[in-house]
Amino acid sequence: MTDRDERPVAGDDPAPTPFAPAAPGEVTVYRDASLIDGTGAPVRRAMAVVTDGATITKVVPDAGLGASDLDGAEVVDLAGAFLLPGLIDTHQHLSTPPNRRRAEDTMRRQLYGGVTAIREMAGDLRQMADLERAALIGEIPGPDVHNAALMAGQSFFDDPRTWQVTQGTIPGTAPWMQAVGEDTDLVTAVARARGTGAVAIKVYADLGASLIARITAEAHRQGMRVWAHGAVFPALPGDVVAAGVDVVSHVHMLAYELSGVRPDTYRGQRAHLPQVYRRFLDAPVDAIDGLLGEMRRRGTVLDATASVVGRIPLSPPGAAEMAHDVVRRLIDRARHVGVEICAGTDYETPPDDPYPSLHDELDHLVHAMGMPPREVVRAATLGGAAALGQRATTGSVEAGKLANLVVVAADPYEDIGHLRRVITTVKRGRRHDRADYDLPRAGAVEEGTRA
């Protein structure tokens, strides 16, 4: 110990890391690109995108560039390549259970795989707050992280996952994972959640319709988003949507709206799923359109997680096939009605896979769910931004938005698998070339339990 003041002085700032956002005045011109802007519009050929620091400043035909655009700028020739918004995975669990090494490896793979933002759908926000900061300022490579703090009924908190993510405290009492009831002071509860750095409340399990509505109203009053499962039990999908939540996850849960089944708790749902699926498939195909129409009217985003049903163990024989048919019909009807769909995964691929799980989910949406690649690209870009509440700042290639981009070698509208042919990812104006990505050692990333 000394009396010397060790605080940094002007001129002592460390050099920026290789992953830091580009600084204002660092101008890059991406020339002669085939542009997919994220809105669902057709490909525009021979386009130029100009970025200054972390922001897109101009999107114009390449022939429209002037000398002033090129003066002092770094020029990147993208002839033959396709430029689109950075991808957004709207359902991740990087901290359930918390494992810093695994989370950093996963985030690195996401970024170099074209993913520039994720929703962390509850976990240990002590770890995630630091990872969010580290990725934002460039200490580590990774997407921007948008964290949710969880609220559920007291009966949920004997779930072992709640113990994993609240070590050192008591499940249900941590500000990032709170038990709530009719007598809870929701003003304080939401404020405690905000104090973790979370941007949203995840309404999860064992809550009634009136309480979900009260939580949602208070969260919105305090400037937070509200994200929920498609059914929270005993609250059904119609209750969740009517409460005003911003995003509902797990499209298969919407089938409960037509089932006549209302489990008392989250744990009770799986026993009923084959019955729920059968009743849904026996109903007229448009019977769910009233619920979906209300979602469209309210602007409720659907985080489909379409492939997750394939990882839910079901019996009797044939139940898995029913689940697939239910999800496909629900997605078809959501598209028909005009509900905004985003692309979430709720899992991660094994450590020896060179690309993150979002690419598998996008393949599944096209090849198993029948969504056109153009719609799937929108779900993974502008749809994801809608789920984050960030459409004004990201999700499409437009002047004034963040310079979050991915460049691929071939047209993903022709084959969604071409999104795996990443040349470079641009996050907040900084390029991260795929060639620089070194695959983590096998076993460095372990699959964790999801919440």
Side-chain angles (χ1 to χ4, degrees):
M1 297 287 293
T2 70
D3 292 331
R4 183 174 179 268
D5 188 345
E6 298 292 344
R7 291 175 297 178
V9 295
D12 257 0
D13 290 338
T17 75
F19 314 113
E26 293 184 42
V27 177
T28 303
V29 181
Y30 297 92
R31 299 202 62 175
D32 200 17
S34 294
L35 177 65
I36 294 174
D37 67 10
T39 67
V43 177
R44 287 185 278 168
R45 309 286 176 174
M47 295 295 292
V49 175
V50 182
T51 67
D52 184 341
T55 304
I56 299 169
T57 57
K58 186 175 285 191
V59 180
V60 294
D62 194 81
L65 288 172
S68 61
D69 296 314
L70 300 173
D71 185 29
E74 180 182 7
V75 176
V76 179
D77 183 1
L78 296 184
F82 289 75
L83 183 150
L84 58 154
L87 306 178
I88 300 172
D89 185 342
T90 54
H91 204 120
Q92 269 289 333
H93 290 284
L94 298 182
S95 57
T96 310
N99 180 316
R100 181 66 181 241
R101 167 76 178 275
R102 180 189 64 215
E104 287 193 19
D105 285 346
T106 300
M107 291 172 70
R108 181 171 181 268
R109 180 171 63 171
Q110 287 169 336
L111 182 64
Y112 283 97
V115 178
T116 55
I118 63 170
R119 285 197 310 163
E120 173 71 0
M121 294 295 288
D124 193 332
L125 296 196
R126 294 169 296 187
Q127 173 176 284
M128 288 311 304
D130 189 47
L131 287 169
E132 175 191 355
R133 170 192 168 277
L136 179 64
I137 67 174
E139 288 180 352
I140 61 171
D144 287 336
V145 178
H146 301 258
N147 287 314
L150 183 143
M151 289 185 182
Q154 181 64 60
S155 54
F156 172 68
F157 284 90
D158 60 355
D159 187 300
R161 294 169 298 178
T162 67
W163 292 85
Q164 292 173 339
V165 300
T166 57
Q167 295 175 63
T169 186
I170 299 171
T173 68
W176 60 93
M177 193 152 289
Q178 297 182 65
V180 296
E182 293 295 338
D183 296 331
T184 299
D185 176 356
L186 292 178
V187 174
T188 301
V190 171
R192 293 181 72 220
R194 286 185 67 203
T196 68
V199 298
I201 301 295
K202 180 179 181 180
V203 178
Y204 190 66
D206 301 4
L207 297 171
S210 64
L211 186 51
I212 296 172
R214 289 171 54 211
I215 293 168
T216 301
E218 182 56 32
H220 286 166
R221 190 186 72 81
Q222 295 195 35
M224 298 187 79
R225 304 277 286 174
V226 181
W227 303 332
H229 277 190
V232 176
F233 307 117
L236 292 179
D239 301 322
V240 173
V241 172
V245 305
D246 300 291
V247 186
V248 296
S249 294
H250 305 319
V251 65
H252 72 280
M253 286 184 163
L254 301 187
Y256 270 93
E257 189 68 9
L258 306 183
S259 70
V261 175
R262 186 186 291 267
D264 291 332
T265 65
Y266 173 87
R267 279 183 197 81
Q269 61 174 303
R270 289 191 181 179
H272 299 285
L273 277 175
Q275 174 188 359
V276 170
Y277 290 163
R278 183 74 274 155
R279 289 184 179 180
F280 177 80
L281 292 171
D282 287 344
V285 293
D286 61 354
I288 198 68
D289 287 6
L291 173 66
L292 296 171
E294 184 65 6
M295 290 176 63
R296 179 183 178 181
R297 185 184 75 81
R298 290 174 172 272
T300 312
V301 180
L302 177 60
D303 171 31
T305 62
S307 66
V308 75
V309 295
R311 294 183 289 280
I312 298 175
L314 290 176
S315 60
E321 289 75 12
M322 278 198 300
H324 175 275
D325 293 344
V326 165
V327 171
R328 177 151 183 162
R329 181 184 292 184
L330 281 163
I331 288 177
D332 283 347
R333 296 314 299 174
R335 292 173 53 219
H336 175 78
V337 171
V339 174
E340 184 82 74
I341 298 173
C342 62
T345 57
D346 200 21
Y347 74 101
E348 208 27 89
T349 46
D352 58 351
D353 192 313
Y355 277 91
S357 58
L358 184 59
H359 291 274
D360 284 356
E361 181 72 14
L362 303 184
D363 287 347
H364 185 81
L365 287 170
V366 171
H367 300 299
M369 295 293 107
M371 284 182 69
R374 185 179 300 189
E375 292 183 28
V376 170
V377 169
R378 179 189 166 99
T381 55
L382 197 58
L388 298 174
Q390 297 290 321
R391 281 190 59 158
T393 59
T394 193
S396 58
V397 183
E398 299 178 60
K401 289 195 172 185
L402 284 173
N404 288 348
L405 311 165
V406 60
V407 178
V408 297
D411 187 356
Y413 280 1
E414 293 183 355
D415 180 348
I416 200 68
H418 289 159
L419 288 177
R420 297 177 190 264
R421 298 178 62 183
V422 173
I423 296 171
T424 193
T425 304
V426 182
K427 183 196 164 192
R428 294 180 176 264
R430 180 71 62 202
R431 288 203 309 281
H432 307 273
D433 293 340
R434 178 71 190 186
D436 295 335
Y437 177 69
D438 296 318
L439 190 65
R441 299 187 311 275
V445 181
E446 305 163 6
E447 288 195 82
T449 306
R450 304 304 179 198

